[in-house]
Amino acid sequence: MHTFNIQAPDEALRPLIQDKIDNLNKPKGSLGRLETLAMQICLAQHTLTPSISHPCHFLLGGDHGIEREGVSVSPREVTWQQMINFTKGGGGVNMFCRQHGFHLRIVDVGVDHDLSQVSGILHHKIAPGTRNFLHEPAMTEDEYNRTFTVGIDLVDAAHSEGSNLLCLGEMGIANTSPSSIWMSLFCDIPLDECIGAGAGLNASGISHKRYILHQALDHFLSTVNCQLSTVNCQLSTAYTIRYFGGFEMVAAVSAMLRAAELGMLILVDGFIMTACALAACRLYPEAQAYMIFGHCGDESGHRRMLDALGAEPLLNLGMRLGEGTGALCAFPIIDSAVRMMNEMNNFDNAQITKYF
């Protein structure tokens, strides 16, 4: 099992940051959310002059055994077809990365298709999709550990190139299913309240998805819950992650943890990536201090998962595309918070009388 040394930000700097924010030439508190966001960023970077350098976006791809049970309106071949599309610049994620200056890395962690000859894809395939968690754990312990290494190595490479902000997205048909189960188990929320339409299921499709996921969860609880109650939280969480998670999701969890360990900012996307953030925080609660939640998506349950984390998203645009697109849309707000700290004048320098 991988271990991380994630340090909570030093709260001793908070009064100095707040003093700088309050003395910018504006009414106290008048920039609202930008001020609280600037506080978080300054604490995470341990500085009064925050910066964003070489922002990087990982698009992680993987297929899921549970897709075989008809829990998604889209067939699994869409995963590899979209992965190829991303290499040609044709996806929503490509557009937003170009717009906001993100270095896009497209990563095959477990797609059920041979992409080894496709230029523009980083090849870290653990297996051609996970097993069907209706009947057995989605991945073995060895696969889980190797997937964790993928996320760590990706972050290390980006950090070595000077990146201090990481954004994450996913491509994996049926990955709302493991996300819903993680949400139910980690937040203690009834499973039905965690299941939505995914990529566009109708009412009968959602009903079938609920039936399958209830069966999977009941099987899991009947076989392992008595064991999990006797071990510590990290081991329980790790086994739950491994039992249901996709390769792209587990790689995202480890990437978040390694980024937090390195003091990088982590921009979190929608339902699936918030589930990954939830799993990461179950393993290491200190990691959340480095996470900025980009948006509240349109998938059922996302708002409740954010509430369980005590997270306030920057945007609510009714998006449910995935790929990291909602988080990328939120990036200009983060940029504004950083610019506020570095480019606004203060009352003394501007020779303006404080008016609060």
Side-chain angles (χ1 to χ4, degrees):
M1 184 176 179
H2 293 274
T3 59
F4 299 86
N5 181 23
I6 300 174
Q7 301 296 316
D10 184 0
E11 288 290 325
L13 198 60
R14 183 180 291 273
L16 295 176
I17 300 169
Q18 191 64 57
D19 183 67
K20 180 174 181 177
I21 292 172
D22 290 344
N23 281 284
L24 298 174
N25 55 338
K26 60 175 180 57
K28 187 175 181 179
S30 61
L31 284 177
R33 185 66 194 282
L34 288 184
E35 299 189 17
T36 57
L37 184 56
M39 173 64 76
Q40 180 186 0
I41 295 170
C42 287
L43 284 172
Q45 296 187 346
H46 195 70
T47 183
L48 298 178
T49 54
S51 65
I52 297 172
S53 61
H54 303 284
C56 181
H57 184 82
F58 295 155
L59 193 288
L60 306 167
D63 279 303
H64 295 253
I66 196 67
E67 179 271 340
R68 302 297 191 194
E69 302 298 330
V71 294
S72 174
V73 69
S74 302
R76 71 168 43 207
E77 58 261 30
V78 171
T79 302
W80 68 260
Q81 291 167 356
Q82 277 284 49
M83 293 289 282
I84 293 174
N85 181 47
F86 297 145
T87 68
K88 299 175 180 178
V93 66
N94 301 95
M95 172 186 67
F96 291 125
C97 282
R98 288 192 295 266
Q99 179 184 5
H100 301 306
F102 276 72
H103 181 181
L104 174 62
R105 288 177 168 90
I106 304 164
V107 189
D108 175 7
V109 194
V111 178
D112 188 9
H113 190 80
D114 183 7
L115 298 171
S116 61
Q117 302 305 309
V118 180
S119 178
I121 293 179
L122 298 178
H123 304 289
H124 295 279
K125 194 193 300 287
I126 304 298
T130 57
R131 294 166 178 79
N132 187 345
F133 63 67
L134 179 61
H135 307 295
E136 60 182 325
M139 60 187 76
T140 66
E141 186 173 2
D142 176 67
E143 289 170 337
Y144 174 79
N145 287 328
R146 288 192 289 125
T147 309
F148 244 66
T149 299
V150 170
I152 293 167
D153 289 347
L154 289 170
V155 171
D156 284 346
H159 187 258
S160 70
E161 295 171 3
S163 178
N164 69 354
L165 185 146
L166 173 68
C167 188
L168 293 154
E170 41 63 39
M171 184 64 229
I173 297 303
N175 57 14
T176 60
S177 290
S179 299
S180 296
I181 292 182
W182 281 2
M183 175 185 171
S184 178
L185 290 171
F186 295 152
C187 299
D188 195 23
I189 295 173
L191 182 58
D192 282 350
E193 298 175 26
C194 305
I195 297 172
L201 288 170
N202 58 20
S204 63
I206 294 173
S207 177
H208 174 72
K209 182 178 179 180
R210 286 175 176 163
Y211 172 74
I212 294 296
L213 296 190
H214 270 289
Q215 280 193 313
L217 183 57
D218 289 346
H219 181 256
F220 170 77
L221 293 176
S222 68
T223 56
V224 303
N225 191 51
C226 58
Q227 301 170 34
L228 295 182
S229 64
T230 65
V231 297
N232 67 46
C233 179
Q234 276 203 357
L235 291 175
S236 306
T237 299
Y239 187 72
T240 303
I241 292 170
R242 174 165 78 84
Y243 195 99
F244 296 104
F247 292 124
E248 83 284 17
M249 296 170 67
V250 172
V253 171
S254 63
M256 290 177 184
L257 293 174
R258 179 57 173 156
E261 185 175 38
L262 293 170
M264 299 172 68
L265 298 173
I266 304 158
L267 188 48
V268 181
D269 190 48
F271 184 65
I272 290 104
M273 285 298 106
T274 302
C276 294
L278 174 65
C281 292
R282 284 277 297 192
L283 291 170
Y284 291 89
E286 300 84 1
Q288 189 168 344
Y290 301 90
M291 297 177 179
I292 299 170
F293 293 82
H295 76 117
C296 181
D298 202 36
E299 176 69 10
S300 175
H302 190 198
R303 175 75 261 181
R304 291 198 66 182
M305 187 156 36
L306 290 165
D307 289 344
L309 282 162
E312 188 58 43
L314 296 176
L315 300 174
N316 188 341
L317 301 178
M319 297 176 70
R320 55 181 178 87
L321 174 60
E323 304 172 14
T325 50
L328 290 165
C329 282
F331 175 73
I333 299 173
I334 298 168
D335 187 39
S336 293
V338 169
R339 289 177 180 272
M340 179 194 80
M341 294 299 289
N342 294 319
E343 298 180 21
M344 280 189 72
N345 209 343
N346 59 38
F347 286 108
D348 288 342
N349 288 336
Q351 297 182 336
I352 297 173
T353 301
K354 287 186 179 180
Y355 50 96
F356 61 82

